[in-house]
Amino acid sequence: MGDRLAKDRLFDAFASVAKVLGSGRRAEIVDVLAQGERAVDEIAGEIGQGIANTSQHLQQLLRAGMVCTRREGTRIYYRLSGPAVERLWVAVRQVASEHVAELDELAASYFGDRAAMDTLTRAELSKRMAAGDVVVLDVRPEPEFRSGHIPGAVSVPIRDLAGRLKDLPHGRTIVAYCRGQYCVFADEAVRMLRQLGMPAARLEEGYPEWAAARLPVESGAPRAAAGRV
Amino acid sequence: MGDRLAKDRLFDAFASVAKVLGSGRRAEIVDVLAQGERAVDEIAGEIGQGIANTSQHLQQLLRAGMVCTRREGTRIYYRLSGPAVERLWVAVRQVASEHVAELDELAASYFGDRAAMDTLTRAELSKRMAAGDVVVLDVRPEPEFRSGHIPGAVSVPIRDLAGRLKDLPHGRTIVAYCRGQYCVFADEAVRMLRQLGMPAARLEEGYPEWAAARLPVESGAPRAAAGRV
DNA sequence: GTGGTATTCAAGTATTCACTTGAATACCAC
DNA sequence: GTGGTATTCAAGTGAATACTTGAATACCAC
């Protein structure tokens, strides 16, 4: 049919989209941006790379149409360009978690014994929030909390948790959440709290899934003296 | 937090899934396998590559857990390993068609003037099939027809269409379908039929979407003397 | 066992890619 | 205008990748 070249180029175009996600660092960027928009230096910090390198990764994501930008003074904020990109990222994680054996090992060795740790589904958390017998703890970095969080949640970034443990209320179960199933922040928080004998559990998924499920969200800065709930 | 290494490896594992789709040839393989299982030499033929190269691409898909194999004598049949992989492939195509500008040009320059061509949705086709005023034409290669097709469809692979035009019934509109939105077979068939003054249109999507929508399907060899409907 | 076929493995080459470094650009404050 | 900051661009290096070629393996028919 004489179509070899055009056909190849068509599928190369499809593949170019997947190829952009085929780098761990860019995948990490997409995962960060799934939480909300970020400036370049913030992204560089979160993924632990230099600014120039981060910028080039962002250019690639931009060229593939997966992110868009917004300028504000000297800063340029990046965000995912639409829900199709989020669906793609979820699809990648699903295939990976179903089929990549290494993931289970990685998750087990690094996340700790997830199975032995209490987890709550979104529905369970909603119910217990309504009953008022839990404290919801957002352990993501604060900018992510600002751009959206579960209503009533307290923001204590995992980095600060050790120093602010005594501010947390006793008596009620603390439910920590973070970026999602494959983020370790909530796991670390639960481990830390349990070592101190405090009842703690993690939300099975993270904020992106919560928001995607159209459950109520809230945005803005944490309340002053965030320690008191 | 001292997690740099493990975190990087985790996201590398996610990225490894996307990376496998990041080659036009492997994307083509996934697209072919979305139609049903195939032996290595069949795949090599469809994507226009050597057998050794095709085999190595298949090994990569296998290592990523995206395909599985079944042995039958000397032949080894590959198939997609599950619905998550199909969802991933659809997600890639969606992001590509939304965001990669080049795709529109490629589609326009190669597919011809799709907009000027009548297309039917699945619902429209179902209705007209019930009314009995259309002939449904499957222009995919015959093995794909055998592994599943729209009930009542006639199999005339695009390669054979030119030689079998006179066998097709006149009077009723011919609706051609193929592998999907980005497959050219149906477009070529419609162009060919219209040049002969026959009323023709294409199904907007392809067989995979039809089957995924749980519309009725049929499988088996084409009826003898497939020309008569 | 032998011969034939389908598939995989292994080595070689040209290309592509990630990250680093250092310089250039674009904006704001003054 | 100058100085400072955020971002992008460009060049260089070491590693990874796609495709080719030729050989090895695994199965079947006999």
Side-chain angles (χ1 to χ4, degrees):
Chain A
M1 299 196 339
D3 56 341
R4 186 52 52 206
L5 259 173
K7 190 183 180 191
D8 282 5
R9 279 170 51 216
L10 181 65
F11 279 92
D12 284 345
F14 286 136
S16 70
V17 168
K19 189 183 246 171
V20 171
L21 270 182
S23 139
R25 254 27 66 212
R26 283 194 294 272
E28 224 169 323
I29 290 176
V30 170
D31 194 56
V32 168
L33 293 185
Q35 314 280 337
E37 65 172 16
R38 296 276 186 289
V40 178
D41 62 333
E42 293 172 337
I43 299 169
E46 297 233 34
I47 70 172
Q49 296 289 319
I51 301 243
N53 193 23
T54 304
S55 172
Q56 302 191 52
H57 281 308
L58 286 168
Q59 303 289 318
Q60 289 196 51
L61 288 164
L62 194 60
R63 243 176 282 132
M66 300 181 66
V67 300
C68 10
T69 61
R70 177 178 70 82
R71 178 147 221 156
E72 193 177 307
T74 79
R75 306 192 114 193
I76 294 177
Y77 287 87
Y78 282 83
R79 65 177 185 281
L80 297 189
S81 61
V85 179
E86 292 173 31
R87 278 198 300 272
L88 174 57
W89 175 231
V90 171
V92 168
R93 296 202 304 177
Q94 273 180 0
V95 170
S97 63
E98 274 185 25
H99 298 300
V100 180
E102 187 193 5
L103 258 196
D104 287 340
E105 298 164 25
L106 262 177
S109 78
Y110 177 56
F111 290 161
D113 215 351
R114 166 85 51 98
M117 183 185 295
D118 283 343
T119 62
L120 274 72
T121 63
R122 295 191 299 256
E124 287 164 354
L125 177 58
S126 297
K127 208 168 74 180
R128 298 194 60 177
M129 279 169 64
D133 66 341
V134 290
V135 176
V136 182
L137 189 66
D138 187 318
V139 292
R140 298 174 298 163
E142 213 227 311
E144 301 183 12
F145 179 87
R146 266 205 308 277
S147 70
H149 55 263
I150 296 178
V154 184
S155 170
V156 182
I158 187 71
R159 246 172 261 268
D160 309 338
L161 185 59
R164 289 168 64 184
L165 280 172
K166 60 179 187 330
D167 296 335
L168 292 170
H170 291 251
R172 284 187 289 169
T173 298
I174 294 174
V175 179
Y177 74 91
C178 52
R179 295 163 169 172
Q181 205 175 351
Y182 290 99
C183 175
V184 301
F185 294 164
D187 292 295
E188 299 215 345
V190 170
R191 199 178 303 130
M192 215 180 284
L193 293 169
R194 289 203 164 184
Q195 279 177 351
L196 293 166
M198 301 168 76
R202 72 163 277 156
L203 178 62
E204 194 179 30
E205 290 148 330
Y207 177 75
E209 289 84 3
W210 179 277
R214 298 252 160 256
L215 289 163
V217 301
E218 195 177 80
S219 62
R223 273 161 281 185
R228 275 304 24 109
V229 193
Chain B
M1 298 197 340
D3 56 339
R4 185 56 50 204
L5 259 172
K7 190 183 179 192
D8 282 3
R9 278 171 50 216
L10 180 66
F11 279 92
D12 284 345
F14 286 136
S16 71
V17 168
K19 189 183 246 170
V20 172
L21 272 182
S23 138
R25 253 28 65 211
R26 283 194 295 271
E28 223 169 325
I29 290 177
V30 170
D31 195 56
V32 167
L33 293 184
Q35 314 280 338
E37 66 173 15
R38 295 277 186 289
V40 179
D41 62 333
E42 293 172 338
I43 299 169
E46 297 233 35
I47 70 172
Q49 296 288 318
I51 301 237
N53 193 22
T54 303
S55 172
Q56 302 189 51
H57 280 308
L58 287 167
Q59 302 291 318
Q60 289 196 50
L61 287 163
L62 195 60
R63 244 176 281 131
M66 299 181 66
V67 300
C68 12
T69 61
R70 176 177 70 83
R71 177 148 222 157
E72 193 177 307
T74 79
R75 307 192 111 194
I76 295 177
Y77 287 87
Y78 282 82
R79 65 176 185 281
L80 297 189
S81 61
V85 179
E86 293 173 30
R87 278 197 302 272
L88 174 57
W89 175 232
V90 171
V92 167
R93 295 201 305 176
Q94 273 179 1
V95 170
S97 63
E98 274 186 26
H99 298 298
V100 179
E102 187 195 4
L103 259 195
D104 287 340
E105 298 163 25
L106 263 175
S109 78
Y110 178 56
F111 289 163
D113 215 352
R114 166 86 51 99
M117 183 184 294
D118 283 343
T119 63
L120 274 73
T121 63
R122 295 191 299 259
E124 287 165 353
L125 178 58
S126 297
K127 209 168 74 181
R128 297 195 59 176
M129 280 168 64
D133 66 341
V134 290
V135 176
V136 182
L137 189 66
D138 187 317
V139 291
R140 299 174 299 163
E142 213 226 311
E144 301 183 13
F145 179 90
R146 265 204 310 277
S147 70
H149 56 264
I150 296 178
V154 184
S155 170
V156 182
I158 187 70
R159 247 171 260 268
D160 308 338
L161 185 59
R164 290 169 61 184
L165 279 172
K166 59 178 187 329
D167 295 336
L168 291 170
H170 292 251
R172 283 186 292 168
T173 298
I174 295 176
V175 179
Y177 74 90
C178 52
R179 296 163 168 171
Q181 205 176 350
Y182 290 98
C183 174
V184 301
F185 294 166
D187 292 295
E188 298 217 345
V190 171
R191 199 178 303 131
M192 213 181 284
L193 294 170
R194 289 204 166 184
Q195 278 179 352
L196 294 167
M198 302 169 77
R202 70 164 277 157
L203 177 62
E204 192 178 33
E205 290 147 330
Y207 178 74
E209 290 85 2
W210 179 278
R214 298 249 162 259
L215 288 163
V217 301
E218 194 176 81
S219 62
R223 272 161 282 183
R228 277 291 43 96
V229 192

